[in-house]
Amino acid sequence: MLQTVWVSSAGSWALQESDRHRQGEKRSWKCRFVRSIIQHPCRRHAPKRSRKARMLRKIQICLCFCFVSGILYEISLLSSCVFSYLPVAQHYLTPEQVLNLGKSIIFLETTERLEPPPLVSCSVESAARIYRDRPVILFMRGLTNETALDLNTSYAAFSLLSSMKNVFIFPLQMETVFQETPLLQWYNQVVPEQEKNWVHVSSDASRLALIWKYGGIYMDTDVISIRPIPQDSFLAAQKSRFSSNGIFGFPARHKFVWDCMENFVLKYNGNIWGNQGPFLMTRMLKTLCNLTDFQGTEDHSCQNISFLNPQRFYPIPYPAWSRYYQVWDKNPSFNHSYALHLWNFMNRNRKVVVAGSNTLAEKLYKTYCPTTYEDLIQNAKHRDLPGPED
Protein backbone atom coordinates (compact mmCIF):
# COMPACT_ATOMS: atom_id res chain seq x y z
CA MET A 1 0.00 0.00 0.00
CA LEU A 2 1.17 3.55 -0.74
CA GLN A 3 0.64 6.56 1.44
CA THR A 4 0.64 10.04 -0.10
CA VAL A 5 2.60 12.61 1.90
CA TRP A 6 2.17 16.27 0.89
CA VAL A 7 5.31 18.15 1.85
CA SER A 8 4.65 21.58 3.36
CA SER A 9 7.09 23.33 1.04
CA ALA A 10 5.19 23.94 -2.18
CA GLY A 11 6.28 22.49 -5.46
CA SER A 12 7.53 19.17 -4.09
CA TRP A 13 5.83 15.88 -3.41
CA ALA A 14 6.99 12.58 -1.95
CA LEU A 15 5.61 9.08 -1.70
CA GLN A 16 6.46 7.10 1.37
CA GLU A 17 5.74 3.50 2.29
CA SER A 18 3.71 2.89 5.43
CA ASP A 19 5.78 2.41 8.58
CA ARG A 20 3.53 -0.51 9.53
CA HIS A 21 4.92 -2.74 6.76
CA ARG A 22 6.92 -5.67 7.90
CA GLN A 23 10.15 -6.56 6.12
CA GLY A 24 8.52 -9.34 4.14
CA GLU A 25 5.67 -7.10 3.06
CA LYS A 26 8.17 -4.47 1.91
CA ARG A 27 9.85 -7.02 -0.31
CA SER A 28 6.49 -8.13 -1.70
CA TRP A 29 5.43 -4.52 -2.48
CA LYS A 30 8.70 -3.79 -4.23
CA CYS A 31 8.39 -6.91 -6.27
CA ARG A 32 4.84 -6.09 -7.38
CA PHE A 33 5.72 -2.48 -8.21
CA VAL A 34 8.77 -3.44 -10.29
CA ARG A 35 6.72 -6.06 -12.13
CA SER A 36 4.05 -3.47 -12.97
CA ILE A 37 6.69 -1.17 -14.45
CA ILE A 38 9.06 -3.46 -16.33
CA GLN A 39 6.91 -6.57 -16.60
CA HIS A 40 9.53 -8.71 -14.86
CA PRO A 41 7.62 -11.30 -12.79
CA CYS A 42 8.61 -12.18 -9.24
CA ARG A 43 8.78 -15.76 -8.06
CA ARG A 44 5.59 -17.00 -6.52
CA HIS A 45 5.52 -19.52 -3.73
CA ALA A 46 1.88 -19.08 -2.70
CA PRO A 47 -0.93 -21.05 -4.35
CA LYS A 48 -3.03 -19.46 -7.07
CA ARG A 49 -5.51 -16.90 -5.87
CA SER A 50 -9.11 -16.69 -6.93
CA ARG A 51 -10.01 -14.87 -10.14
CA LYS A 52 -11.70 -12.08 -8.17
CA ALA A 53 -8.62 -11.54 -5.98
CA ARG A 54 -6.32 -11.42 -9.00
CA MET A 55 -8.60 -8.86 -10.66
CA LEU A 56 -8.65 -6.65 -7.55
CA ARG A 57 -4.89 -6.85 -7.34
CA LYS A 58 -4.50 -5.75 -10.98
CA ILE A 59 -6.86 -2.83 -10.37
CA GLN A 60 -4.81 -1.76 -7.33
CA ILE A 61 -1.60 -1.86 -9.34
CA CYS A 62 -3.15 0.18 -12.17
CA LEU A 63 -4.48 2.81 -9.75
CA CYS A 64 -1.10 3.13 -8.03
CA PHE A 65 0.68 3.45 -11.36
CA CYS A 66 -1.76 6.15 -12.56
CA PHE A 67 -1.42 8.03 -9.27
CA VAL A 68 2.38 8.02 -9.37
CA SER A 69 2.34 9.01 -13.04
CA GLY A 70 0.07 11.94 -12.25
CA ILE A 71 2.37 13.22 -9.53
CA LEU A 72 5.44 12.88 -11.74
CA TYR A 73 3.59 14.77 -14.45
CA GLU A 74 2.78 17.64 -12.10
CA ILE A 75 6.40 17.81 -10.95
CA SER A 76 7.52 17.94 -14.56
CA LEU A 77 5.20 20.88 -15.13
CA LEU A 78 6.79 22.79 -12.29
CA SER A 79 10.37 21.98 -13.31
CA SER A 80 9.76 22.94 -16.92
CA CYS A 81 8.21 26.20 -15.81
CA VAL A 82 4.91 25.80 -17.65
CA PHE A 83 3.22 28.49 -15.61
CA SER A 84 -0.13 28.35 -17.34
CA TYR A 85 -0.74 24.99 -15.66
CA LEU A 86 1.27 25.48 -12.47
CA PRO A 87 -0.37 23.12 -9.92
CA VAL A 88 0.82 25.03 -6.83
CA ALA A 89 -0.45 28.44 -5.73
CA GLN A 90 2.13 31.17 -6.20
CA HIS A 91 2.09 32.35 -2.60
CA TYR A 92 3.19 28.89 -1.40
CA LEU A 93 6.43 29.00 -3.37
CA THR A 94 9.64 30.30 -1.80
CA PRO A 95 12.15 32.50 -3.69
CA GLU A 96 14.62 29.61 -3.82
CA GLN A 97 12.07 27.27 -5.35
CA VAL A 98 11.22 29.76 -8.09
CA LEU A 99 14.82 30.84 -8.72
CA ASN A 100 15.97 27.22 -8.91
CA LEU A 101 13.66 26.72 -11.88
CA GLY A 102 16.34 28.63 -13.78
CA LYS A 103 16.52 31.51 -16.23
CA SER A 104 14.60 33.95 -14.06
CA ILE A 105 13.96 37.57 -15.04
CA ILE A 106 14.80 39.57 -11.90
CA PHE A 107 13.67 43.07 -10.89
CA LEU A 108 14.61 44.87 -7.67
CA GLU A 109 12.92 47.58 -5.62
CA THR A 110 15.38 48.70 -2.92
CA THR A 111 13.30 51.61 -1.60
CA GLU A 112 10.72 51.01 1.11
CA ARG A 113 7.71 51.80 -1.09
CA LEU A 114 5.07 49.12 -1.39
CA GLU A 115 2.96 50.43 -4.27
CA PRO A 116 4.75 49.89 -7.59
CA PRO A 117 4.20 52.91 -9.87
CA PRO A 118 2.94 52.34 -13.44
CA LEU A 119 6.44 52.26 -14.97
CA VAL A 120 7.52 49.46 -12.61
CA SER A 121 4.30 47.59 -13.31
CA CYS A 122 4.80 48.04 -17.06
CA SER A 123 8.38 46.76 -16.87
CA VAL A 124 7.37 43.59 -15.00
CA GLU A 125 4.28 42.99 -17.15
CA SER A 126 6.14 43.43 -20.42
CA ALA A 127 8.81 40.95 -19.31
CA ALA A 128 6.14 38.45 -18.25
CA ARG A 129 4.52 38.70 -21.68
CA ILE A 130 7.77 38.40 -23.64
CA TYR A 131 9.24 35.60 -21.48
CA ARG A 132 6.11 33.50 -20.89
CA ASP A 133 8.06 30.32 -20.13
CA ARG A 134 10.33 31.93 -17.53
CA PRO A 135 9.68 33.12 -13.95
CA VAL A 136 9.59 36.91 -13.59
CA ILE A 137 10.42 37.99 -10.04
CA LEU A 138 10.04 41.38 -8.36
CA PHE A 139 12.02 41.60 -5.11
CA MET A 140 10.90 44.45 -2.81
CA ARG A 141 12.89 45.79 0.12
CA GLY A 142 9.82 47.20 1.89
CA LEU A 143 7.98 43.90 1.72
CA THR A 144 7.96 41.48 4.65
CA ASN A 145 6.40 38.07 5.09
CA GLU A 146 3.62 39.70 7.11
CA THR A 147 2.77 42.41 4.57
CA ALA A 148 2.89 39.83 1.75
CA LEU A 149 -0.26 38.17 3.09
CA ASP A 150 -2.62 41.01 2.18
CA LEU A 151 -1.07 42.48 -0.97
CA ASN A 152 -3.82 41.58 -3.40
CA THR A 153 -6.46 43.49 -1.50
CA SER A 154 -4.29 46.42 -0.39
CA TYR A 155 -2.53 47.48 -3.58
CA ALA A 156 -3.98 47.51 -7.08
CA ALA A 157 -0.60 46.99 -8.76
CA PHE A 158 -0.04 43.76 -6.83
CA SER A 159 -3.40 42.40 -7.94
CA LEU A 160 -2.53 43.32 -11.51
CA LEU A 161 0.89 41.65 -11.47
CA SER A 162 0.00 38.62 -9.37
CA SER A 163 -2.76 37.75 -11.83
CA MET A 164 -0.01 36.82 -14.32
CA LYS A 165 0.93 33.16 -13.96
CA ASN A 166 4.70 33.62 -14.21
CA VAL A 167 5.06 36.74 -12.00
CA PHE A 168 6.23 36.36 -8.40
CA ILE A 169 6.67 39.10 -5.78
CA PHE A 170 8.99 38.39 -2.84
CA PRO A 171 10.60 40.31 0.04
CA LEU A 172 14.21 41.34 -0.61
CA GLN A 173 16.21 39.98 2.34
CA MET A 174 19.73 41.19 1.67
CA GLU A 175 21.49 39.26 4.40
CA THR A 176 20.11 36.05 2.91
CA VAL A 177 20.92 37.12 -0.65
CA PHE A 178 24.56 37.89 0.22
CA GLN A 179 25.22 34.55 1.94
CA GLU A 180 28.11 32.59 0.37
CA THR A 181 29.30 35.61 -1.62
CA PRO A 182 32.13 38.15 -1.11
CA LEU A 183 29.44 40.77 -0.46
CA LEU A 184 28.39 39.41 2.94
CA GLN A 185 31.42 40.81 4.79
CA TRP A 186 30.87 44.20 3.15
CA TYR A 187 27.18 44.17 4.06
CA ASN A 188 27.91 43.33 7.71
CA GLN A 189 30.31 46.26 7.98
CA VAL A 190 28.51 48.98 6.03
CA VAL A 191 26.17 51.44 7.81
CA PRO A 192 23.25 52.19 5.45
CA GLU A 193 22.26 55.40 7.27
CA GLN A 194 25.69 56.84 6.52
CA GLU A 195 25.68 55.89 2.85
CA LYS A 196 25.04 58.66 0.34
CA ASN A 197 23.68 56.36 -2.39
CA TRP A 198 22.43 53.40 -0.39
CA VAL A 199 19.34 52.70 -2.52
CA HIS A 200 21.53 52.39 -5.63
CA VAL A 201 24.51 50.69 -3.99
CA SER A 202 22.38 48.03 -2.30
CA SER A 203 20.64 47.39 -5.61
CA ASP A 204 24.00 47.07 -7.42
CA ALA A 205 25.11 44.48 -4.87
CA SER A 206 21.85 42.52 -4.76
CA ARG A 207 21.61 42.05 -8.51
CA LEU A 208 25.14 40.65 -8.69
CA ALA A 209 24.53 38.17 -5.87
CA LEU A 210 21.20 36.95 -7.26
CA ILE A 211 22.50 36.44 -10.79
CA TRP A 212 25.64 34.71 -9.53
CA LYS A 213 23.66 32.30 -7.34
CA TYR A 214 20.80 31.49 -9.66
CA GLY A 215 21.56 32.82 -13.13
CA GLY A 216 19.10 34.58 -15.42
CA ILE A 217 18.59 38.18 -16.53
CA TYR A 218 18.53 41.26 -14.34
CA MET A 219 16.52 44.30 -15.49
CA ASP A 220 15.99 47.74 -14.01
CA THR A 221 12.37 48.60 -13.22
CA ASP A 222 12.30 51.20 -16.00
CA VAL A 223 13.08 48.70 -18.77
CA ILE A 224 10.23 47.77 -21.14
CA SER A 225 10.78 44.43 -22.88
CA ILE A 226 9.79 44.23 -26.55
CA ARG A 227 11.36 40.94 -27.75
CA PRO A 228 13.40 38.09 -26.20
CA ILE A 229 17.14 38.47 -25.66
CA PRO A 230 18.83 35.55 -27.47
CA GLN A 231 22.13 35.60 -25.50
CA ASP A 232 22.71 33.89 -22.14
CA SER A 233 25.94 35.68 -21.14
CA PHE A 234 25.82 39.38 -21.98
CA LEU A 235 26.41 42.94 -20.89
CA ALA A 236 24.59 45.92 -22.36
CA ALA A 237 26.63 48.76 -23.85
CA GLN A 238 25.25 52.14 -22.86
CA LYS A 239 27.60 53.67 -25.41
CA SER A 240 30.83 52.62 -27.10
CA ARG A 241 33.39 51.26 -24.60
CA PHE A 242 31.04 51.75 -21.64
CA SER A 243 28.82 49.11 -20.07
CA SER A 244 25.56 49.57 -18.23
CA ASN A 245 24.50 47.41 -15.31
CA GLY A 246 20.80 48.21 -15.84
CA ILE A 247 20.36 44.97 -17.73
CA PHE A 248 22.67 41.95 -17.95
CA GLY A 249 22.45 38.17 -17.96
CA PHE A 250 24.64 35.20 -17.03
CA PRO A 251 24.30 31.53 -16.13
CA ALA A 252 24.59 30.67 -12.44
CA ARG A 253 28.07 30.64 -10.89
CA HIS A 254 29.64 32.56 -13.75
CA LYS A 255 33.20 33.62 -12.99
CA PHE A 256 32.76 37.14 -14.39
CA VAL A 257 29.98 37.87 -11.88
CA TRP A 258 32.07 36.48 -9.01
CA ASP A 259 34.99 38.69 -10.04
CA CYS A 260 32.63 41.67 -10.13
CA MET A 261 31.54 40.97 -6.54
CA GLU A 262 35.15 40.76 -5.38
CA ASN A 263 35.96 44.05 -7.13
CA PHE A 264 32.82 45.59 -5.65
CA VAL A 265 34.27 45.05 -2.17
CA LEU A 266 37.90 45.78 -3.06
CA LYS A 267 37.14 49.10 -4.83
CA TYR A 268 34.13 50.12 -2.77
CA ASN A 269 33.35 53.83 -2.66
CA GLY A 270 29.73 54.60 -1.86
CA ASN A 271 30.19 58.34 -2.37
CA ILE A 272 30.65 57.98 -6.13
CA TRP A 273 27.40 57.20 -7.90
CA GLY A 274 27.82 54.23 -10.24
CA ASN A 275 31.20 53.17 -8.89
CA GLN A 276 29.68 49.80 -7.91
CA GLY A 277 27.37 49.80 -10.94
CA PRO A 278 28.13 50.71 -14.57
CA PHE A 279 31.71 51.76 -13.75
CA LEU A 280 32.29 48.39 -12.08
CA MET A 281 30.99 46.46 -15.10
CA THR A 282 33.06 48.59 -17.47
CA ARG A 283 36.36 48.25 -15.61
CA MET A 284 35.88 44.49 -15.20
CA LEU A 285 35.09 44.05 -18.89
CA LYS A 286 38.20 46.02 -19.79
CA THR A 287 40.33 43.50 -17.90
CA LEU A 288 39.12 40.82 -20.32
CA CYS A 289 39.31 42.55 -23.68
CA ASN A 290 40.19 45.69 -25.57
CA LEU A 291 36.95 47.62 -26.05
CA THR A 292 36.47 49.35 -29.39
CA ASP A 293 33.78 51.57 -30.90
CA PHE A 294 30.65 49.96 -32.31
CA GLN A 295 30.09 50.07 -36.03
CA GLY A 296 26.44 50.11 -37.08
CA THR A 297 24.31 47.65 -35.13
CA GLU A 298 26.95 44.95 -34.62
CA ASP A 299 27.55 43.36 -31.22
CA HIS A 300 30.95 42.66 -29.74
CA SER A 301 32.09 39.43 -28.12
CA CYS A 302 34.81 38.94 -25.53
CA GLN A 303 35.74 35.76 -23.61
CA ASN A 304 32.33 34.22 -24.46
CA ILE A 305 30.56 37.31 -23.13
CA SER A 306 28.42 39.26 -25.60
CA PHE A 307 28.80 43.03 -25.32
CA LEU A 308 25.55 44.15 -26.90
CA ASN A 309 25.24 47.23 -29.10
CA PRO A 310 23.69 50.33 -27.51
CA GLN A 311 20.80 49.96 -29.98
CA ARG A 312 19.68 46.81 -28.14
CA PHE A 313 18.53 48.69 -25.03
CA TYR A 314 19.54 52.34 -25.32
CA PRO A 315 18.44 53.55 -28.79
CA ILE A 316 17.47 56.82 -27.09
CA PRO A 317 20.57 57.89 -25.09
CA TYR A 318 20.27 59.40 -21.63
CA PRO A 319 20.73 63.07 -22.68
CA ALA A 320 17.57 62.66 -24.80
CA TRP A 321 15.57 60.68 -22.21
CA SER A 322 12.62 63.14 -22.29
CA ARG A 323 11.83 62.12 -25.87
CA TYR A 324 10.00 59.11 -24.47
CA TYR A 325 7.45 61.57 -23.07
CA GLN A 326 7.04 63.57 -26.26
CA VAL A 327 4.80 63.17 -29.31
CA TRP A 328 6.70 61.95 -32.37
CA ASP A 329 5.80 62.82 -35.97
CA LYS A 330 6.80 59.28 -36.91
CA ASN A 331 7.23 56.62 -34.25
CA PRO A 332 10.55 54.73 -34.30
CA SER A 333 10.39 51.01 -35.04
CA PHE A 334 13.11 49.87 -32.60
CA ASN A 335 13.77 46.93 -34.93
CA HIS A 336 17.26 46.44 -33.49
CA SER A 337 16.20 46.57 -29.82
CA TYR A 338 15.35 43.85 -27.32
CA ALA A 339 14.13 46.26 -24.64
CA LEU A 340 13.99 50.00 -23.98
CA HIS A 341 15.50 51.75 -20.97
CA LEU A 342 13.40 54.81 -20.08
CA TRP A 343 16.06 56.48 -17.90
CA ASN A 344 13.84 57.03 -14.87
CA PHE A 345 16.85 58.19 -12.85
CA MET A 346 17.05 61.23 -15.13
CA ASN A 347 13.33 61.92 -14.74
CA ARG A 348 13.67 64.42 -11.91
CA ASN A 349 10.44 66.21 -12.82
CA ARG A 350 8.63 62.89 -12.65
CA LYS A 351 7.08 62.88 -16.08
CA VAL A 352 4.43 60.17 -16.33
CA VAL A 353 2.39 58.48 -19.01
CA VAL A 354 -0.94 60.26 -19.48
CA ALA A 355 -3.77 58.42 -21.20
CA GLY A 356 -4.62 60.12 -24.50
CA SER A 357 -1.39 62.13 -24.64
CA ASN A 358 -0.18 60.23 -27.74
CA THR A 359 3.41 60.27 -26.47
CA LEU A 360 5.93 57.57 -27.36
CA ALA A 361 5.80 56.18 -23.81
CA GLU A 362 2.00 55.90 -23.97
CA LYS A 363 2.23 53.91 -27.19
CA LEU A 364 4.80 51.59 -25.60
CA TYR A 365 2.43 51.00 -22.69
CA LYS A 366 -0.44 50.20 -25.06
CA THR A 367 1.65 47.67 -26.98
CA TYR A 368 3.81 45.96 -24.36
CA CYS A 369 1.94 46.33 -21.05
CA PRO A 370 -1.74 46.66 -21.99
CA THR A 371 -3.02 45.59 -18.58
CA THR A 372 -1.03 48.33 -16.87
CA TYR A 373 -2.26 50.79 -19.48
CA GLU A 374 -5.89 49.76 -18.93
CA ASP A 375 -5.43 50.27 -15.20
CA LEU A 376 -3.96 53.71 -15.96
CA ILE A 377 -7.09 54.63 -17.94
CA GLN A 378 -9.39 53.43 -15.18
CA ASN A 379 -7.52 55.44 -12.55
CA ALA A 380 -7.75 58.54 -14.76
CA LYS A 381 -11.53 58.07 -15.08
CA HIS A 382 -11.91 57.75 -11.32
CA ARG A 383 -9.96 60.96 -10.79
CA ASP A 384 -12.18 62.81 -13.27
CA LEU A 385 -15.43 61.70 -11.63
CA PRO A 386 -17.08 64.55 -9.65
CA GLY A 387 -17.07 64.13 -5.89
CA PRO A 388 -20.10 64.56 -3.57
CA GLU A 389 -19.11 68.15 -2.80
CA ASP A 390 -19.31 68.99 -6.53
Side-chain angles (χ1 to χ4, degrees), residues 126-319:
S126 65
R129 291 180 180 276
I130 295 298
Y131 303 94
R132 292 181 181 273
D133 61 339
R134 300 172 70 164
V136 177
I137 308 172
L138 173 61
F139 286 99
M140 302 188 71
R141 177 64 175 168
L143 195 62
T144 65
N145 291 329
E146 288 73 24
T147 56
L149 299 176
D150 195 37
L151 289 179
N152 289 346
T153 57
S154 301
Y155 300 102
F158 284 106
S159 297
L160 184 156
L161 294 175
S162 60
S163 67
M164 307 190 75
K165 297 294 185 181
N166 59 331
V167 172
F168 301 85
I169 303 174
F170 292 124
L172 175 61
Q173 299 171 334
M174 293 186 187
E175 186 171 356
T176 301
V177 169
F178 297 143
Q179 292 292 332
E180 302 176 4
T181 76
L183 298 168
L184 183 61
Q185 182 181 0
W186 160 81
Y187 180 72
N188 288 333
Q189 294 175 349
V190 74
V191 181
E193 294 77 14
Q194 298 177 3
E195 291 292 320
K196 180 180 178 181
N197 298 297
W198 178 246
V199 169
H200 302 287
V201 168
S202 59
S203 178
D204 293 335
S206 298
R207 68 189 71 175
L208 288 171
L210 285 166
I211 294 298
W212 182 78
K213 282 185 171 183
Y214 303 104
I217 296 175
Y218 167 81
M219 294 184 184
D220 278 349
T221 52
D222 56 350
V223 172
I224 298 179
S225 298
I226 62 178
R227 57 179 57 90
I229 302 168
Q231 289 84 356
D232 291 327
S233 301
F234 71 90
L235 294 173
Q238 184 174 316
K239 59 182 180 180
S240 286
R241 310 186 190 203
F242 189 80
S243 177
S244 162
N245 77 327
I247 179 167
F248 62 94
F250 288 95
R253 300 301 200 265
H254 197 283
K255 184 178 185 301
F256 178 81
V257 184
W258 179 269
D259 292 342
C260 284
M261 291 190 292
E262 288 188 328
N263 191 270
F264 183 106
V265 177
L266 182 64
K267 302 289 185 180
Y268 182 74
N269 187 338
N271 293 321
I272 302 176
W273 186 91
N275 187 63
Q276 273 61 56
F279 293 107
L280 167 65
M281 293 294 201
T282 302
R283 64 177 176 260
M284 294 306 296
L285 187 60
K286 285 181 176 179
T287 64
L288 298 180
C289 56
N290 181 28
L291 301 181
T292 59
D293 291 337
F294 288 94
Q295 303 295 328
T297 58
E298 66 174 2
D299 297 322
H300 291 173
S301 181
C302 177
Q303 302 275 335
N304 294 323
I305 298 174
S306 296
F307 190 38
L308 301 184
N309 192 288
Q311 288 294 315
R312 305 294 180 228
F313 308 104
Y314 304 101
I316 297 179
Y318 78 89

Side-chain angles (χ1 to χ4, degrees), residues 46-151:
K48 282 190 175 182
R49 300 180 182 180
S50 68
R51 182 177 180 183
K52 184 177 180 181
R54 290 198 304 272
M55 182 63 69
L56 287 174
R57 185 170 151 222
K58 289 180 180 179
I59 292 174
Q60 288 176 338
I61 292 173
C62 290
L63 289 175
C64 289
F65 180 77
C66 293
F67 186 74
V68 172
S69 298
I71 288 179
L72 293 175
Y73 175 68
E74 291 195 12
I75 294 174
S76 72
L77 290 181
L78 181 62
S79 63
S80 61
C81 210
V82 183
F83 296 101
S84 297
Y85 304 98
L86 193 66
V88 183
Q90 288 173 315
H91 58 274
Y92 289 133
L93 294 171
T94 66
E96 290 75 18
Q97 287 172 323
V98 177
L99 288 162
N100 283 331
L101 293 174
K103 294 189 174 182
S104 300
I105 312 297
I106 297 174
F107 294 89
L108 295 174
E109 175 60 73
T110 50
T111 70
E112 295 293 330
R113 67 183 176 188
L114 284 174
E115 175 66 354
L119 181 54
V120 175
S121 177
C122 183
S123 297
V124 176
E125 180 188 344
S126 65
R129 291 180 180 276
I130 295 298
Y131 303 94
R132 292 181 181 273
D133 61 339
R134 300 172 70 164
V136 177
I137 308 172
L138 173 61
F139 286 99
M140 302 188 71
R141 177 64 175 168
L143 195 62
T144 65
N145 291 329
E146 288 73 24
T147 56
L149 299 176
D150 195 37
L151 289 179

